Amino acid sequence: MLNQTAALDLMFQALADPSRRSMVERLSRGPASVSELAKPLTMSLPAVVQHLQVLENSGLIRTEKIGRVRTCHIDWVAMKTAEQWMDERRKSWELRLDRLGDFLASEDNH
Amino acid sequence: MLNQTAALDLMFQALADPSRRSMVERLSRGPASVSELAKPLTMSLPAVVQHLQVLENSGLIRTEKIGRVRTCHIDWVAMKTAEQWMDERRKSWELRLDRLGDFLASEDNH
DNA sequence: AGTTTGGTTAAGCATATGCTTAAGTAAATC
DNA sequence: GATTTACTTAAGCATATGCTTAACCAAACT
């Protein structure tokens, strides 16, 4: 298993490409095959497969091959990890704002 | 102004590096100067500045130079854009789960 | 058995990224 | 005025990324 930092590297990196995000958007509406994911994109099939490998390697999606078709779906537990990182930053910020608010309120009492 | 897609590219790309995320973590606790951000990192100062440029270019942070010190802080509006993208995927997923739930419930009535 | 469909593997290539060192510049301190 | 501090700019370099085409494989159809 990778540590948290390396996992976040791979996830944010995976989400940093518009083609990969469009695949994730499609998959957030339910599972799809490789060629289904490739259809709206203007690149070659190997390119699509390479993008899928990046997504799968990041843990954001999982795939399963049955017969000759590979079905892809999002791993929501992994997706949550990325969301959580941003959540934590925001909490830290909100805490800071609260403390600033308290400070200003106490200043009013002088 | 950039379109939403290009903006997301830059933001996720910016967050895909552990040094840059550590800078954002530091800044989520309040503004800091360039050398303050550089202190915990093991790279040269120009390298730090290059990371800051990536962050600033993504819109996630803003900087202002007063005298000879440049002060950096997070732009929370931009940060929200990235959070929102993930939020929307999750909503789409939850909607799908709801519909699946409804379907299974209606199946029970047969 | 032959063809189509859905995907895979491999090689190559152009550009982007993440560093480095060396050499500035300009504000603040001595 | 000289030195230190806080960056800044530029050049160079190794590796990573995002594609491409060509060739292949094995399941499904006819």
Side-chain angles (χ1 to χ4, degrees):
Chain A
M1 214 198 203
L2 292 167
N3 60 45
Q4 177 92 340
T5 301
L8 285 170
D9 286 4
L10 293 175
M11 282 186 239
F12 282 126
Q13 177 70 4
L15 293 175
D17 181 276
S19 305
R20 287 194 293 259
R21 280 201 311 281
S22 87
M23 291 181 197
V24 171
E25 284 178 23
R26 168 61 191 81
L27 291 175
S28 71
R29 295 193 293 275
S33 70
V34 173
S35 40
E36 238 176 303
L37 291 172
K39 209 166 289 175
L41 302 173
T42 59
M43 64 188 69
S44 70
L45 194 63
V48 172
V49 172
Q50 283 165 34
H51 280 305
L52 281 173
Q53 278 165 358
V54 172
L55 283 168
E56 189 166 16
N57 200 249
S58 80
L60 285 173
I61 75 165
R62 286 159 175 261
T63 76
E64 189 191 7
K65 193 165 183 174
I66 297 175
R68 64 184 173 180
V69 18
R70 177 172 299 279
T71 303
C72 314
H73 61 95
I74 296 187
D75 184 332
W76 290 95
V77 178
M79 187 70 96
K80 187 143 191 156
T81 305
E83 261 187 299
Q84 226 159 3
W85 185 86
M86 299 212 258
D87 253 36
E88 280 160 23
R89 294 319 112 224
R90 210 197 31 229
K91 270 178 205 154
S92 169
W93 164 254
E94 280 161 6
L95 187 66
R96 197 179 104 80
L97 270 195
D98 284 352
R99 284 197 306 259
L100 183 63
D102 290 350
F103 172 75
L104 293 177
S106 77
E107 284 295 291
D108 283 348
N109 296 334
H110 290 291
Chain B
M1 214 201 205
L2 292 166
N3 60 45
Q4 178 92 339
T5 301
L8 285 170
D9 286 5
L10 293 175
M11 283 185 237
F12 283 126
Q13 177 69 7
L15 294 175
D17 181 276
S19 306
R20 287 194 294 260
R21 279 200 312 280
S22 86
M23 292 181 195
V24 170
E25 283 178 23
R26 168 61 192 81
L27 291 176
S28 71
R29 295 193 293 276
S33 71
V34 173
S35 40
E36 238 176 305
L37 291 172
K39 208 165 291 175
L41 301 173
T42 59
M43 63 187 71
S44 69
L45 195 62
V48 172
V49 172
Q50 282 165 35
H51 280 305
L52 280 174
Q53 278 165 358
V54 172
L55 283 168
E56 188 165 17
N57 200 249
S58 80
L60 285 173
I61 75 165
R62 286 159 176 263
T63 76
E64 188 191 9
K65 193 165 185 174
I66 297 174
R68 63 184 172 179
V69 19
R70 177 172 299 279
T71 303
C72 314
H73 61 95
I74 296 187
D75 184 331
W76 289 95
V77 179
M79 188 69 97
K80 188 144 189 151
T81 305
E83 260 187 300
Q84 226 159 4
W85 185 85
M86 299 211 259
D87 253 36
E88 281 160 23
R89 293 321 111 224
R90 209 197 31 229
K91 271 178 205 155
S92 170
W93 164 254
E94 280 162 4
L95 187 66
R96 196 179 103 79
L97 270 196
D98 285 352
R99 284 197 306 259
L100 183 63
D102 290 351
F103 171 73
L104 293 176
S106 77
E107 285 295 291
D108 284 347
N109 297 334
H110 289 292

